[in-house]
Amino acid sequence: MLFEAFEETGLSQLSYAVGCQQSKELAIVDPRRDIDIYLDFAEEEGYVIRHVMDTHIHADYASGARELAEVTGAKLHLSAYDDNEVFEVGFDHLPMQEGDSVQMGNVRIEALHTPGHTPEHISFLVYDGARSPDVPAVALTGDFLFVGSLGRPDLLGEEATRGLAKQAFHSVREKLHGLPDGLEIRPGHGAGSACGAGMSGRTVSTLGYERAANPLLDPSLTEDEFIDTLLGNLPPAPDFYPRNKVTNSEGPKPVQGMVDLLAEEIEVFDIDDLKAQIDAGAVVIDIRDRLAFNAAHIKGSLGIEYGDNLSTWAGWVAPPDKPLILVDHDGDDELISEAIRALVRVGQDNVAGFLDGGFDAWLKAGEAFENIPLVDAETAKTDLDHDRRALWDVRETSEWDEGHALGARHTPAHDARDGLDGISKDEPVTLVCGSGMRSTVAASLLRRAGYTNVANLMGGMDAWEEAGLPVVAKD
């Protein structure tokens, strides 16, 4: 049996290729949007993609399953349990019920209905017939069972949450019962994903180890105790998740040409064209590093540096209904292409193009720019003590509770789109996060919203603590 995992680190997302070494047939499970990684893998290994599968209607990313099946002519297998649910798949596919399977030579992949994260969720048991036709070797558990945790059940709204949590309880007790301890667990996400809480940094486990160490697989838990544990300490759910549920149920549009800058809809804008686009409502996403953005940027730009966090933050704070234009240092085609991939992975398909020559060209042309003042930790502390500038922590609530600067106030960065409660738009404020990335995002959001006196504490709480400045935790 051939088995390969593909990790997209920005979303902590995992997809898989499963194939038969004899028949050279391949199945792809939970593919991401930029599908060329699977096409290239199949070609390099000499396999043909025959089957494409999704474990559920994803929320955190736009699925590549439909396009991959169309491009390869493979059969598209999706859950049969979406009928009359909030989200139903609206395009052609082969529905899979529990016990249905696909056969590729010696390899069999069988569906197991595991509701909880979503009502239609299915996992896949993989049998390597060359070793044992009756004992599964691997379980592709999607967002049902993670290493150290389970998928969150609250993404369909408050009314559905407790019912889905109960389904997760019964999935754990009934669907895992009888499966061998040696079964290899391969989840859809690892630590860093917002699809669950308490996930391990490891992305592979065994069912026996999860039975021993995963708190949600503790057989002594009552149903109510299980639900309380599952719902405790969930991270905030990005508000682009519901948009992706709609996208994935209706059918994501093809993007394969878009991600390599060959499609006609990706424009290379000169400065005058960019100005016209901005005047017409387009939003600039500046993907340069945080120091460069704070030093100088085009007025109204969103500062989201290129890296592992680009997908999540662009999905979270970039308007989905406006054209998006990317600006880097010098108009690097390769970097822009990678940034577009990060955007379309979370359903941000409205990328109009990028600035020719990047911000360097903007500066060389003598165009106006704005900056966000940078302050060090000691200066921020002095400003706070003398009531010269408020200090605003934009980390997540769990981080704030663990320890924050004495005298600081708190609003998570993604909520900065709505401004800061209790402070006017002309009052001076310094933002702080963990190391400076999120505070740069928040500062750019506030500047777009009309806040005129925003500064950024470079180095964030790391620098604050390194300077030995006072930190308090929630009681």
Side-chain angles (χ1 to χ4, degrees):
M1 181 177 76
L2 178 145
F3 187 91
E4 185 77 15
F6 305 87
E7 183 174 8
E8 202 293 292
T9 56
L11 296 169
S12 299
Q13 183 258 337
L14 294 154
S15 53
Y16 300 96
V18 181
C20 175
Q21 293 172 314
Q22 183 180 35
S23 69
K24 296 296 184 181
E25 296 172 283
L26 201 62
I28 305 295
V29 179
D30 286 340
R32 68 197 199 199
R33 193 82 173 284
D34 44 329
I35 60 172
D36 51 340
I37 187 173
Y38 313 109
L39 300 174
D40 292 345
F41 175 78
E43 182 177 3
E44 290 168 4
E45 297 293 328
Y47 282 68
V48 177
I49 298 174
R50 297 293 191 196
H51 304 278
V52 179
M53 304 169 167
D54 263 344
T55 53
H56 64 293
I57 301 172
H58 300 284
D60 58 306
Y61 67 97
S63 170
R66 184 186 188 187
E67 184 172 4
L68 183 58
E70 290 176 349
V71 168
T72 61
K75 295 178 180 179
L76 178 59
H77 307 269
L78 305 176
S79 173
Y81 297 98
D82 60 331
D83 288 349
N84 301 314
E85 297 294 346
V86 176
F87 294 100
E88 295 183 71
V89 175
F91 50 91
D92 290 341
H93 63 280
L94 298 173
M96 291 193 82
Q97 295 184 352
E98 183 165 322
D100 290 347
S101 65
V102 299
Q103 189 79 37
M104 299 178 295
N106 287 323
V107 174
R108 178 165 58 92
I109 303 176
E110 181 180 304
L112 181 70
H113 186 211
T114 50
H117 176 64
T118 64
E120 83 285 351
H121 195 290
I122 54 177
S123 299
F124 296 108
L125 300 176
V126 181
Y127 294 80
D128 182 358
R131 300 194 63 194
S132 173
D134 303 315
V135 179
V138 181
L140 304 177
T141 55
D143 290 19
F144 162 49
L145 175 59
F146 297 129
V147 178
S149 188
L150 294 180
R152 64 191 302 163
D154 64 329
L155 297 181
L156 296 184
E158 187 174 347
E159 291 184 5
T161 295
R162 196 163 186 88
L164 285 170
K166 288 182 178 180
Q167 289 187 35
F169 176 79
H170 290 286
S171 290
V172 166
R173 295 298 174 89
E174 299 166 10
K175 300 305 174 74
L176 298 180
H177 180 72
L179 294 176
D181 280 345
L183 182 65
E184 187 174 303
I185 301 300
R186 292 285 190 156
H189 294 284
S193 169
C195 289
M199 281 181 259
S200 168
R202 290 179 56 82
T203 57
V204 60
S205 185
T206 64
L207 184 54
Y209 188 78
E210 293 307 301
R211 283 171 171 153
N214 189 323
L216 289 159
L217 269 59
D218 181 350
S220 70
L221 290 176
T222 67
E223 184 178 272
D224 286 340
E225 289 171 337
F226 173 93
I227 291 172
D228 290 342
T229 303
L230 180 58
L231 297 181
N233 300 315
L234 288 175
D239 56 15
F240 67 86
Y241 278 19
R243 295 201 303 269
N244 279 337
K245 297 287 280 189
V246 173
T247 296
N248 288 328
S249 57
E250 293 180 348
K253 74 176 186 180
V255 294
Q256 194 54 29
M258 182 178 178
V259 298
D260 59 15
L261 301 183
L262 296 178
E264 294 180 359
E265 62 262 34
I266 301 299
E267 298 286 344
V268 182
F269 295 109
D270 62 25
I271 290 173
D272 289 338
D273 290 335
L274 177 61
K275 289 180 179 179
Q277 288 287 322
I278 294 172
D279 289 343
V283 175
V284 171
I285 298 181
D286 191 320
I287 62 172
R288 295 175 301 147
D289 65 89
R290 66 197 74 169
L291 289 174
F293 179 85
N294 282 283
H297 58 265
I298 299 169
K299 181 179 180 180
S301 300
L302 294 178
I304 313 175
E305 67 184 28
Y306 176 79
D308 286 347
N309 293 304
L310 178 58
S311 291
T312 296
W313 283 103
W316 211 329
V317 304
D321 57 346
K322 295 183 180 297
L324 305 176
I325 300 175
L326 301 179
V327 171
D328 69 342
H329 282 286
D330 54 8
D332 183 326
D333 285 359
E334 184 175 347
L335 180 63
I336 294 294
S337 180
E338 288 301 312
I340 291 174
R341 287 175 181 269
L343 295 178
V344 300
R345 285 173 190 151
V346 291
Q348 287 282 18
D349 295 355
N350 203 9
V351 181
F354 62 98
L355 175 61
D356 190 18
F359 193 73
D360 288 353
W362 184 271
L363 283 180
K364 289 176 183 177
E367 298 292 342
F369 60 85
E370 290 190 341
N371 74 294
I372 296 170
L374 301 179
V375 300
D376 59 37
E378 294 283 0
T379 300
K381 176 67 165 60
T382 301
D383 287 343
L384 180 63
D385 289 345
H386 291 83
D387 294 325
R388 289 196 292 261
R389 303 187 75 90
L391 182 62
W392 220 282
D393 193 318
V394 297
R395 296 175 300 157
E396 294 301 334
T397 300
S398 60
E399 298 171 277
W400 165 266
D401 289 345
E402 289 176 1
H404 54 267
L406 181 65
R409 287 180 273 180
H410 178 239
T411 299
H414 47 84
D415 288 336
R417 291 169 297 179
D418 302 321
L420 302 176
D421 289 339
I423 188 169
S424 65
K425 290 185 176 181
D426 59 354
E427 288 184 64
V429 59
T430 298
L431 305 184
V432 59
C433 65
S435 61
M437 186 271 170
R438 286 173 290 177
S439 58
T440 297
V441 175
S444 67
L445 289 168
L446 292 174
R447 292 298 295 266
R448 275 185 61 84
Y451 284 76
T452 59
N453 203 343
V454 179
N456 201 345
L457 197 166
M458 272 294 97
M461 283 301 296
D462 291 346
W464 183 276
E465 293 178 9
E466 183 68 24
L469 299 176
V471 174
V472 295
K474 182 180 179 181
D475 294 337

